[in-house]
Amino acid sequence: MDDNRFHSLPVEDLLNLYSSKPDGLTDEEVKKRIEKYGLNELEEKKESALLIFFRQFNNPLVYILLVAIIITVFMGDYIDAGIIAGIVFINGLLGFFQEIKARSSIEALKKLTETKAKVLRNGKEVTVSVSNIVPGDIVLLEEGDVVPADIRLIESVGLMADEAILTGESIPVEKDASVVLQENTPIYNRKNMLFKGTIIVRGKAKGLVVATGRNTEIGKIAEKIKEKSPETPLNRALKRFSLKWMIILFIILVFIFILGLLQGRDLYKLFMLIISELVSAVPEGLPLVVTFVLVIGALALAKRKTLVKYLPSVETLGSATFIVSDKTGTITEGKLQVEEYVARDEEFLYLTSALCNDASLEKGDPLEIALLKWLEKKDINWADLRIKFPRLWEQPFDTKLRFMATVNEINGKKYLLIKGAFESLIELTRTEDEKLLEDHDKMAEKGLRVLAFGYTEIKSIPEDLSSIKIEIAGLIGFIDPPKEGVKDAVETAKKAGIKVVMVTGDNIKTAKAIARKVSIYSDGDIALTGSDIKKYNDTELYQILKRTSVVARATPEDKYRIVKSLQKNKEIVAVTGDGVNDVPALKVADLGIAMGSGTEAAKDVAKMIITDNNLAVIVDAVKQGRIIAHNIRKVIYYLLSCSFGEIMLLTSAFLLKLPLPLYPLQILWINVVTEGVQDKTFPFSKEEKDVMSEKPKKPEKTFFDKKQLFDISFTAFFMGGINLLLFIYLLEITTYERAVGITFTSLIANQWFNGFQAVREEPFFKNILKSFTVNPYMYLGVGLGMALQLSATYIFPEWLHTVPLTLTDWLLVLTTCLSLFLIIEIKKWIEYFIERKK
């Protein structure tokens, strides 16, 4: 049947529909239903590990390298082919292990509710495994039980359930078996239903199982987990660049090949050029260096209580334009406390709080626990009061009456003590109190959960409480308070151009009150409810979300739709959550951030875990993410400008009908002593400027905007041009082998000097001390590269087609290096003054 109608039909109709009876099913019928409906478990179709492994190589950059490997093998250069193949394989292996780790999401949902439950079978009460519960079973529940399936209540006594795991609402909800609800009643208002995985915090119940396994509300969430997480902004940007570069490279190589044939070039040398161009063109170290940047970033984040499960998510933090945060446990403490109270009779307000209360500090209704903690702050020993004034009678909390009452002997007299909803207690008072109503409304407007407390002296224990008249002792307002540091974090996020939206299952008044306290909500902002969201189509929803800071009474589907709507409009969305209700949104978000104290299901689908459940930690992590993004931008500039510089040199020499200025093996060596050493130091670059004063940039703009492409082209043009002029000059005064050897060393040294400039976005001489201290490891890297190059030049020159250099040769090398360095420095100063003028 339609799974949205269970709450809207009478119990008798449902019993008939499921061919069940109040004393339960027979064992034979249970076996038939297990065959029909399956076990009460969540299933997962697993992709083979082999398929996951091969999928890691589905990348345009890898395709270019594979072509290079094939041509290199065809030409007989097996060592070169082996080196390139090794780099590709290691990169694929890293991605494979990351993905294998992320396959445990549904397993965590299984663990969540795999417990025992009491059911009626063959007219008797028995305990069975939750997986063997079937639709039509009659389940018995009491305080502390985990609900084993989706259940329509048949009977309930003072029943309250904690549904935070499903709806995000921090306060337990009242349940009532007797009501029949409208068909369109949202999940958080279905008083006659219990849902799998939620917890009974008070009372007893008997109910009919109406859904098991994947058909439960949690099961539907598990189905959504199967939806693939989106690619990270970094991966998307790199793939887009790789595809464009592959097309450009293909056009260049086809042009060179055709031109070479027309010029009558030697076919072997032509293939050697194409291999050289391929090896130069592909920054094969880029995936590994980016991974290294992310690893170093992840280690830095770990020191700030942020654990990274999926490395590319480190950069996603820096690109985030929206943070969609839950309330309970992230923005707030996740524990109720007394925020405000109004006393008409202070003594009886304290007495009722202590005596009309079933909780202890460790166990019970969160509201009652909060009362005990409040009394302790008042230096009132509630445990002594319970001994001194014993309970003679009790009326457990009743969901219809909406209050709890006890009779206690106080100083030799019997007193009825009562606490509950203000509306219920006001009907039992002797006189109307306008001031009390005003106090209640003020507290409710602040988003507080308000309880009223009353008392009256009695002669005997009452049979009917409706005839009793009481005095109101006072009102107490409860709140789940904001965490320390959250307000500052939200203001920092706003300054950084990041929109924070709080999505919660709580009521709209409470949500707005909390959001206002931490600066998420302010005058002029929009606050929506889950039911409001359903009124808008996707286009309208996005427009309204841009001005929305609070979404209350939200279901998992609402949060999921919010994320998808933002992503559809190219927003980068970070989502925080800790409950099963957050899992779909965490899964599809660009960055899912789970709380360390959250459910296993949430932690397993998230890409990042915050050990200190605090929005302030997330905003601090955003700052680190931006520093990391800047470092990735720098390393991309460095590697591509060096690669393009090599292409510029090779192509220019070819077009001028000159011999090859570099051998393919020399290009691979360049990648070892410059890109292979110097690029590994970029992850250690410190923050150069206040990254949180910048607005978020789209990933393609962060890494490949017009300025980045201009800088890469500018440096590559001059690097290739200077070394081409050097090569032409050397061919006129010395042998070809010596000209190649000197040009080879010159190009390497040029790339070192390019690295000194790449480490800072501002001019090098603007702050020389900062230029040397922003990343001292850069100079250590160059030192190691220099040692390797000196070995190649003087110890084994014949291996790399080079020659020992004289002092005059080194002066030529130094001249090209300083020329390139100063050209880049002049360009930076021009850009700096233009920017200042703006």
Side-chain angles (χ1 to χ4, degrees):
M1 72 165 282
D2 183 349
D3 58 7
N4 283 322
R5 291 180 52 211
F6 300 132
H7 56 279
S8 63
L9 293 176
V11 172
E12 295 75 21
D13 291 1
L14 286 168
L15 285 168
N16 291 333
L17 190 69
Y18 282 99
S19 303
S20 187
K21 351 179 234 192
D23 61 354
L25 301 171
T26 63
D27 289 339
E28 279 185 29
E29 185 60 33
V30 170
K31 284 178 186 175
K32 288 178 187 174
R33 295 191 186 203
I34 286 175
E35 285 179 19
K36 181 180 177 182
Y37 297 106
L39 292 172
N40 184 23
E41 294 177 338
L42 303 173
E43 298 171 4
E44 179 187 17
K45 289 180 183 176
K46 286 188 179 177
E47 189 178 16
S48 74
L50 196 64
L51 193 62
I52 291 170
F53 177 72
F54 283 116
R55 194 158 28 77
Q56 306 307 313
F57 303 97
N58 184 19
N59 184 311
L61 265 181
V62 175
Y63 302 157
I64 298 172
L65 289 172
L66 291 175
V67 171
I69 292 166
I70 291 165
I71 296 174
T72 312
V73 169
F74 179 74
M75 300 298 294
D77 293 328
Y78 301 115
I79 294 172
D80 294 2
I83 292 168
I84 302 169
I87 289 166
V88 172
F89 180 75
I90 290 166
N91 192 49
L93 214 57
L94 283 169
F96 170 71
F97 285 122
Q98 282 296 329
E99 196 159 335
I100 286 292
K101 281 182 184 177
R103 292 204 335 182
S104 56
S105 50
I106 294 187
E107 288 298 320
L109 279 170
K110 285 183 182 179
K111 291 175 192 172
L112 182 68
T113 53
E114 189 51 50
T115 52
K116 302 283 184 183
K118 291 175 189 169
V119 297
L120 293 177
R121 297 265 172 93
N122 306 307
K124 295 177 183 176
E125 184 182 316
V126 292
T127 301
V128 298
S129 171
V130 165
S131 60
N132 289 322
I133 286 176
V134 295
D137 256 327
I138 304 298
V139 178
L140 305 175
L141 295 160
E142 58 188 25
E143 187 177 321
D145 286 347
V146 176
V147 179
D150 284 3
I151 291 168
R152 170 67 159 88
L153 291 169
I154 297 171
E155 298 171 8
S156 63
V157 179
L159 188 65
M160 296 185 79
D162 179 354
E163 294 185 344
I165 197 172
L166 193 62
T167 66
E169 185 167 4
S170 55
I171 296 171
V173 291
E174 300 166 8
K175 297 291 180 179
D176 186 355
S178 65
V179 298
V180 177
L181 303 167
Q182 294 291 319
E183 193 171 324
N184 62 355
T185 305
I187 190 170
Y188 51 78
N189 279 340
R190 293 180 192 172
K191 290 190 169 188
N192 57 9
M193 295 286 297
L194 291 171
F195 301 103
K196 183 177 173 76
T198 59
I199 300 165
I200 306 299
V201 296
R202 183 196 282 275
K204 295 181 180 180
K206 179 180 179 181
L208 171 72
V209 173
V210 291
T212 57
R214 69 173 66 182
N215 296 317
T216 61
E217 292 297 327
I218 279 185
K220 291 173 203 168
I221 291 170
E223 287 297 308
K224 281 201 173 77
I225 293 175
K226 293 176 185 175
E227 182 170 347
K228 194 178 178 183
S229 292
E231 277 192 300
T232 64
L234 174 61
N235 284 347
R236 287 203 297 270
L238 285 176
K239 271 195 176 179
R240 197 174 290 125
F241 159 75
S242 302
L243 197 59
K244 286 178 183 175
W245 178 228
M246 191 167 71
I247 293 166
I248 293 167
L249 182 62
F250 178 75
I251 293 167
I252 291 170
L253 292 180
V254 168
F255 171 73
I256 287 171
F257 187 73
I258 293 169
L259 191 64
L261 290 175
L262 292 173
Q263 289 179 348
R265 294 285 185 112
D266 179 75
L267 205 58
Y268 177 79
K269 288 184 177 177
L270 196 57
F271 272 117
M272 286 291 285
L273 173 67
I274 286 171
I275 292 167
S276 299
E277 294 267 12
L278 273 173
V279 175
S280 298
V282 180
E284 66 270 20
L286 184 59
L288 286 177
V289 177
V290 168
T291 300
F292 189 49
V293 174
L294 296 174
V295 167
I296 299 299
L299 292 173
L301 285 168
K303 293 176 184 175
R304 289 170 166 81
K305 304 176 182 177
T306 305
L307 306 178
V308 177
K309 285 177 61 190
Y310 179 60
L311 277 179
S313 64
V314 171
E315 177 279 323
T316 308
L317 271 170
S319 305
T321 56
F322 271 78
I323 295 176
V324 177
S325 175
D326 64 342
K327 176 183 76 70
T328 308
T330 308
I331 291 169
T332 65
E333 294 286 353
K335 294 173 184 174
L336 290 168
Q337 72 175 36
V338 174
E339 174 76 359
E340 195 176 314
Y341 72 98
V342 174
R344 288 286 185 272
D345 186 322
E346 204 155 8
E347 182 187 358
F348 269 97
L349 182 60
Y350 296 152
L351 283 172
T352 309
S353 298
L355 303 176
C356 188
N357 186 327
D358 289 331
S360 65
L361 289 174
E362 295 78 30
K363 185 181 177 183
D365 185 322
L367 285 164
E368 293 189 333
I369 294 171
L371 283 172
L372 299 183
K373 289 181 177 176
W374 173 64
L375 290 171
E376 287 194 342
K377 283 183 183 176
K378 297 276 183 186
D379 292 324
I380 295 168
N381 192 322
W382 54 270
D384 283 354
L385 289 177
R386 288 179 179 180
I387 296 166
K388 188 176 177 183
F389 306 128
R391 185 182 292 185
L392 306 176
W393 173 88
E394 67 178 289
Q395 161 74 58
F397 180 83
D398 189 297
T399 52
K400 291 179 186 173
L401 298 173
R402 299 188 70 209
F403 61 68
M404 169 188 179
T406 63
V407 173
N408 291 71
E409 189 177 320
I410 301 172
N411 300 326
K413 296 178 182 178
K414 291 188 181 74
Y415 281 90
L416 175 81
L417 307 177
I418 185 169
K419 81 169 190 299
F422 176 77
E423 297 83 359
S424 299
L425 266 65
I426 206 74
E427 291 177 7
L428 303 176
T429 55
R430 294 187 173 91
T431 56
E432 286 189 16
D433 189 334
E434 290 296 327
K435 180 68 171 66
L436 198 66
L437 181 61
E438 192 180 309
D439 289 337
H440 170 269
D441 290 348
K442 280 182 183 174
M443 291 167 84
E445 280 300 321
K446 293 175 185 174
L448 304 183
R449 172 75 181 271
V450 184
L451 285 186
F453 296 75
Y455 68 97
T456 188
E457 186 181 347
I458 57 172
K459 299 297 180 187
S460 59
I461 292 170
E463 291 182 12
D464 181 12
L465 291 178
S466 62
S467 60
I468 296 289
K469 293 299 177 186
I470 64 168
E471 298 289 340
I472 297 291
L475 304 174
I476 296 180
F478 300 83
I479 199 166
D480 180 6
K483 287 186 173 178
E484 193 178 339
V486 168
K487 185 176 181 181
D488 291 342
V490 171
E491 286 167 357
T492 302
K494 284 183 175 179
K495 178 184 155 194
I498 302 166
K499 174 85 173 168
V500 182
V501 181
M502 188 177 85
V503 181
T504 176
D506 271 344
N507 69 69
I508 197 158
K509 284 184 179 177
T510 302
K512 281 168 69 175
I514 291 293
R516 193 183 289 277
K517 281 190 174 187
V518 295
S519 297
I520 289 176
Y521 180 83
S522 53
D523 294 335
D525 285 358
I526 293 173
L528 298 173
T529 63
S531 54
D532 292 332
I533 284 173
K534 293 175 178 65
K535 297 174 188 173
Y536 302 111
N537 62 36
D538 288 347
T539 306
E540 292 168 337
L541 181 59
Y542 174 64
Q543 293 305 320
I544 208 106
L545 283 173
K546 288 197 287 187
R547 294 176 290 135
T548 299
S549 55
V550 173
V551 182
R553 290 297 188 200
T555 64
E557 288 76 16
D558 295 330
K559 195 168 184 178
Y560 173 87
R561 191 176 167 216
I562 287 166
V563 174
K564 294 296 278 184
S565 174
L566 293 170
Q567 288 175 324
K568 192 176 176 183
N569 290 278
K570 302 207 168 21
E571 302 288 356
I572 307 298
V573 188
V575 171
T576 73
D578 55 3
V580 175
N581 61 309
D582 299 312
V583 166
L586 285 170
K587 179 73 176 178
V588 298
D590 295 287
L591 177 60
I593 305 170
M595 302 299 106
S597 62
T599 61
E600 287 302 311
K603 285 189 272 189
D604 278 332
V605 298
K607 291 171 183 165
M608 207 171 266
I609 297 170
I610 304 292
T611 55
D612 181 355
N613 307 351
N614 196 321
L615 189 68
V617 176
I618 295 167
V619 174
D620 184 52
V622 168
K623 180 181 176 180
Q624 293 304 310
R626 289 193 173 186
I627 294 169
I628 290 158
H630 274 272
N631 288 344
I632 292 173
R633 179 185 172 91
K634 289 173 183 176
V635 83
I636 287 171
Y637 157 78
Y638 173 70
L639 287 173
L640 294 185
S641 60
C642 290
S643 291
F644 289 7
E646 293 163 22
I647 290 173
M648 176 73 189
L649 174 61
L650 292 165
T651 307
S652 301
F654 173 80
L655 292 173
L656 294 172
K657 296 187 178 181
L658 298 172
L660 278 177
L662 294 171
Y663 288 93
L665 197 60
Q666 286 178 329
I667 295 167
L668 279 172
W669 177 257
I670 288 171
N671 294 347
V672 170
V673 300
T674 55
E675 297 171 16
V677 176
Q678 206 169 1
D679 60 6
K680 303 298 185 298
T681 65
F682 278 90
F684 301 101
S685 294
K686 298 168 191 168
E687 183 181 3
E688 195 178 343
K689 55 188 174 182
D690 181 12
V691 292
M692 293 305 274
S693 63
E694 299 174 355
K695 300 300 177 191
K697 290 180 183 174
K698 290 184 177 177
E700 54 269 28
K701 296 284 171 80
T702 302
F703 306 114
F704 301 109
D705 61 354
K706 287 179 182 176
K707 185 182 184 315
Q708 174 86 313
L709 294 174
F710 174 75
D711 290 346
I712 289 167
S713 304
F714 180 89
T715 301
F717 178 80
F718 280 100
M719 187 186 295
I722 288 167
N723 284 284
L724 178 68
L725 292 173
L726 175 67
F727 183 61
I728 293 169
Y729 170 71
L730 290 168
L731 286 175
E732 290 177 0
I733 64 168
T734 188
T735 63
Y736 168 68
E737 285 298 323
R738 188 163 190 82
V740 168
I742 297 168
T743 305
F744 170 49
T745 301
S746 171
L747 188 62
I748 286 176
N750 276 205
Q751 294 186 359
W752 290 335
F753 277 75
N754 183 29
F756 299 152
Q757 283 285 8
V759 83
R760 287 204 67 195
E761 293 177 15
E762 292 184 332
F764 188 90
F765 293 115
K766 182 173 178 283
N767 187 333
I768 295 176
L769 180 64
K770 194 170 187 179
S771 296
F772 281 105
T773 56
V774 74
N775 189 352
Y777 297 100
M778 172 69 67
Y779 303 96
L780 291 174
V782 170
L784 178 59
M786 194 176 288
L788 289 168
Q789 183 60 18
L790 288 172
S791 300
T793 305
Y794 296 105
I795 299 173
F796 44 88
E798 65 282 353
W799 291 7
L800 291 165
H801 309 283
T802 188
V803 292
L805 269 62
T806 65
L807 183 61
T808 306
D809 297 334
W810 279 111
L811 286 172
L812 286 171
V813 169
L814 186 62
T815 301
T816 63
C817 291
L818 290 174
S819 300
L820 179 68
F821 184 87
L822 290 172
I823 287 166
I824 297 171
E825 182 71 5
I826 291 165
K827 178 184 78 73
K828 282 187 176 183
W829 277 108
I830 292 168
E831 289 171 342
Y832 174 74
F833 285 119
I834 290 171
E835 194 62 35
R836 278 194 69 181
K837 199 172 181 181
K838 284 181 183 177

